[in-house]
Amino acid sequence: DIQMTQSPSSLSASVGDRVTITCRASQSISSFLNWFQQKSGKAPKLLIYATSNLQSGVPSRFSGSGTGTDFTLTITSLQPEDFATYYCQQTYSNPSTFGQGTKLEIK
Amino acid sequence: QLVESGGGLVKPGGSLRLSCAASGFSFNSYDMNWVRQAPGKGLEWVSSISSSGSYIYYADSVKGRFTISRDNAKNSLFLQMSSLGAEDTAVYYCARDYSGLDVWGQGTTVTVSS
């Protein structure tokens, strides 16, 4: 199975900051990488699919990049509603696998 | 919209069947997934089924114990779970797959305890 490793596991930032979350795959997954945001007690929300495609309705301050084994999610100008946990997911091969999550907290 | 049901308290070794009712889209055109989240833990992909039901995949942790199925005539997705253990305690979500898991249900809670 492909292992997905996110870093950091947690991150403190302030409103207006730019933050980057990294996801590394244990083998090449081409561009089959999605990003999700989850707020406490809620279902996850798809932010980015296929590495860099912004899901409809998601603000443009979210962006994704990468290929192969290394991927990043960048949030420019953090807003109060962005404080949540973020997960990457590979869909290159079955079983699909998620990263362990990155909790973004207010500094 | 996706609405899960069927969760509850079950004893170790027991069985449970989860359902996911879909509305507002052409259910028979989409692959569907189950994803779970243990209390205080991250997301774990559980299983997926293709739009026709021809292709089915499972996580190693549930293979041989869980069975995914769908009824396109009734716009419904199912997860039959057996030989349940404490490690299966989680919120179970169904999710539509369209260039990513783009529509999720609210989740149904499964608790395995004696």
Side-chain angles (χ1 to χ4, degrees):
Chain A
D1 299 359
I2 298 175
Q3 307 303 315
M4 306 300 294
T5 304
Q6 289 181 231
S7 60
S9 295
S10 63
L11 176 60
S12 294
S14 301
V15 172
D17 283 354
R18 172 190 173 104
V19 300
T20 297
I21 298 169
T22 297
C23 181
R24 175 163 289 176
S26 59
Q27 64 185 76
S28 177
I29 58 171
S30 184
S31 296
F32 291 87
L33 191 284
N34 303 323
W35 289 98
F36 297 86
Q37 176 193 67
Q38 187 180 33
K39 297 182 179 179
S40 181
K42 301 294 187 181
K45 173 186 175 183
L46 179 65
L47 298 176
I48 303 273
Y49 63 93
T51 297
S52 59
N53 295 278
L54 199 65
Q55 175 67 2
S56 177
V58 174
S60 59
R61 62 181 179 273
F62 291 91
S63 64
S65 64
T67 190
T69 60
D70 294 314
F71 302 85
T72 59
L73 171 70
T74 300
I75 313 171
T76 58
S77 189
L78 271 174
Q79 298 301 301
E81 60 269 28
D82 299 337
F83 292 94
T85 300
Y86 293 84
Y87 295 92
C88 62
Q89 179 209 18
Q90 69 81 17
T91 57
Y92 177 77
S93 68
N94 285 295
S96 176
T97 41
F98 286 92
Q100 82 279 13
T102 295
K103 187 172 184 178
L104 178 54
E105 299 175 305
I106 300 175
K107 185 181 290 184
Chain B
Q1 183 183 8
L2 297 171
V3 179
E4 301 94 337
S5 61
L9 176 64
V10 61
K11 288 182 168 54
S15 299
L16 209 56
R17 189 193 197 210
L18 305 184
S19 299
C20 171
S23 61
F25 64 95
S26 298
F27 179 74
N28 60 7
S29 296
Y30 294 88
D31 297 352
M32 296 294 295
N33 288 245
W34 287 99
V35 175
R36 69 183 180 182
Q37 187 168 36
K41 302 297 184 182
L43 301 173
E44 181 186 14
W45 177 85
V46 172
S47 183
S48 67
I49 185 168
S50 62
S51 56
S52 65
S54 298
Y55 299 97
I56 287 174
Y57 303 96
Y58 298 100
D60 292 343
S61 58
V62 307
K63 199 174 295 183
R65 300 188 299 120
F66 289 13
T67 301
I68 191 172
S69 62
R70 64 190 297 161
D71 184 339
N72 285 343
K74 295 184 177 180
N75 293 333
S76 294
L77 175 72
F78 305 101
L79 187 67
Q80 178 68 47
M81 305 185 296
S82 62
S83 301
L84 287 164
E87 68 277 10
D88 298 312
T89 294
V91 175
Y92 286 73
Y93 297 100
C94 63
R96 184 181 84 169
D97 192 347
Y98 178 69
S99 295
L101 303 180
D102 66 332
V103 178
W104 294 65
Q106 84 289 349
T108 188
T109 300
V110 173
T111 303
V112 184
S113 176
S114 55

